[in-house]
């Protein structure tokens, strides 16, 4: 191809078209396969699996990053004209909401149904979980014995009055946790539990999970509710204040003696109006591959959802194996509204 010393495929097509007296532009466009990805993930490490996908398939990724809710609103607003093929986001509540809004198309893929356990995906295979996160309890080891905090139920014990820090109840992470309490305990007991938690708060909810962990670190509260990866992020930090936080604040994986710890997912699905459906399915299948699973999960210090995939994350692996709540995650979506009603009713802001 000395004749066309450029790597620009468009220019090549135009030049070739002029020489041959025919237009090859249409063909050139058809040959350049793309995947339009809308993602609420924003980890520098994710770059590796985007590159990996392009390498494996020859399909280029056009990526648009944004906030979880902003991207969802954008997809809805774009409707049938949306160029988006795949939407990646976090928390099953958001995946469920997107599914309910008719955002996702079902995906038929033996690879995905074989590799991703059923409780980590939608029953109609409209979304798939690619990494798992645990909602854990962090405690000040000088003030709390882990045995006193072995279950989520223990958070409602009046002995913790004025000692618990948590983010707002209306955040999907807490709504999903409250939902799991509704499913396991029933509406009435879950309401009682939430009332107990609200009565034990050290301060009105504000900030994200990291802020709650830091509040335990500075002694503003003795217990925090947090997703595990915020703690692992601090574990992996070299900053002196983070080193001392990790020394002082430890984690409990709740309900190991019974139903297991509440887990949630980060995941995604193919969109209803996806223009590049083959590329979309290939991308979802790629995310379930061993190599991508390690990268995807490690990017945010999470666990792969595909069983048996190796981690390369000593801090995360230091926790060892634990029992997870095997509740089908899709069920958590259905109880979100009830969870919010309970939180409002008991004054958990
Ligand atoms: Fe998060």
């Amino acid at each position: 191809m000395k004749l066309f010393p450029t790597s620009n495929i468009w220019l090549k097509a135009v030049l070739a078209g002029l020489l041959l007296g025919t237009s090859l532009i249409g063909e050139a466009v058809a040959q350049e396969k793309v995947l339009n990805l809308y993602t609420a993930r924003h980890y520098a490490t994710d770059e590796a699996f985007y590159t990996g996908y392009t390498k494996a398939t020859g399909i280029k990724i056009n990526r648009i990053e944004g906030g979880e809710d902003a991207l969802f609103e954008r997809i809805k607003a774009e409707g049938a004209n949306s160029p988006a093929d795949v939407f990646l986001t976090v928390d099953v509540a958001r995946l469920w909401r997107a599914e309910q809004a008719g955002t996702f198309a079902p995906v038929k893929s033996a690879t995905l149904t074989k590799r991703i356990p059923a409780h980590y995906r939608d029953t109609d295979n409209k979304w798939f979980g690619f990494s798992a996160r645990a909602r854990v309890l962090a405690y000040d080891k000088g003030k709390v014995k882990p045995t006193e905090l072995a279950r989520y139920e223990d958070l409602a014990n009046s002995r913790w009055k004025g000692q618990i820090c948590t983010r707002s109840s209306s955040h999907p992470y807490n709504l999903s946790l409250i939902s799991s309490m509704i499913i396991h305990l029933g509406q009435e007991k879950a309401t009682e539990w939430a009332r107990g938690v609200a009565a034990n708060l050290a301060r009105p909810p504000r900030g994200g999970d990291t802020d709650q962990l830091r509040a335990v670190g500075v002694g503003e509260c003795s217990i925090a509710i947090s997703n595990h990866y915020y703690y692992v992020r601090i574990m992996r930090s070299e900053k002196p204040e983070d080193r001392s936080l990790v020394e002082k604040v430890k984690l409990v994986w709740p309900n190991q003696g019974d139903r297991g710890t509440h887990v949630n997912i980060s995941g995604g699905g193919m969109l209803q109006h996806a223009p590049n459906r083959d590329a979309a399915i290939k991308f979802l299948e790629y995310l379930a591959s061993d190599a991508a699973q390690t990268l995807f999960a490690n990017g945010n210090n999470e666990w792969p959802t595909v069983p048996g995939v190796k981690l390369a994350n000593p801090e995360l692996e230091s926790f060892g194996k634990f029992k997870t709540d095997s509740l089908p995650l899709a069920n958590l979506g259905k109880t979100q509204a009830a969870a919010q009603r309970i939180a409002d009713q008991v004054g958990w802001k």
Side-chain angles (χ1 to χ4, degrees), residues 133 167 173 227 229-230 300:
R133 60 267 301 278
R167 72 196 306 164
Y173 297 170
N227 281 357
Y229 53 84
Y230 292 107
N300 190 33

Side-chain angles (χ1 to χ4, degrees), residues 97-151:
R97 199 168 26 176
E99 187 273 311
Q100 288 290 297
T103 305
F104 292 127
V107 169
K108 265 202 187 127
S109 159
T111 303
L112 287 168
T113 47
K114 206 176 104 199
R115 291 184 63 83
I116 313 257
H119 67 279
Y120 284 142
R121 55 185 157 86
D122 173 49
T123 39
D124 297 325
N125 294 312
K126 289 186 176 174
W127 51 256
F128 302 86
F130 294 111
S131 64
R133 60 267 301 278
R135 197 119 183 95
V136 296
L137 305 177
Y139 64 94
D140 179 334
K141 73 173 186 191
K143 296 179 187 162
V144 177
K145 286 199 205 93
T147 48
E148 300 169 324
L149 203 60
R151 310 175 75 217

Side-chain angles (χ1 to χ4, degrees), residues 175 178-179 182 187 190-191 332-345:
L175 285 179
I178 299 170
S179 291
I182 296 173
Q187 185 93 12
T191 308
L332 296 174
K334 295 175 197 148
T335 34
Q336 294 283 304
Q340 186 65 71
R341 272 198 303 277
I342 285 179
D344 292 344
Q345 194 185 326

Side-chain angles (χ1 to χ4, degrees), residues 149-161:
L149 203 60
R151 310 175 75 217
Y152 295 110
E153 283 84 339
D154 295 330
L155 289 170
N157 191 321
S158 59
R159 75 187 297 162
W160 307 125
K161 196 159 190 59

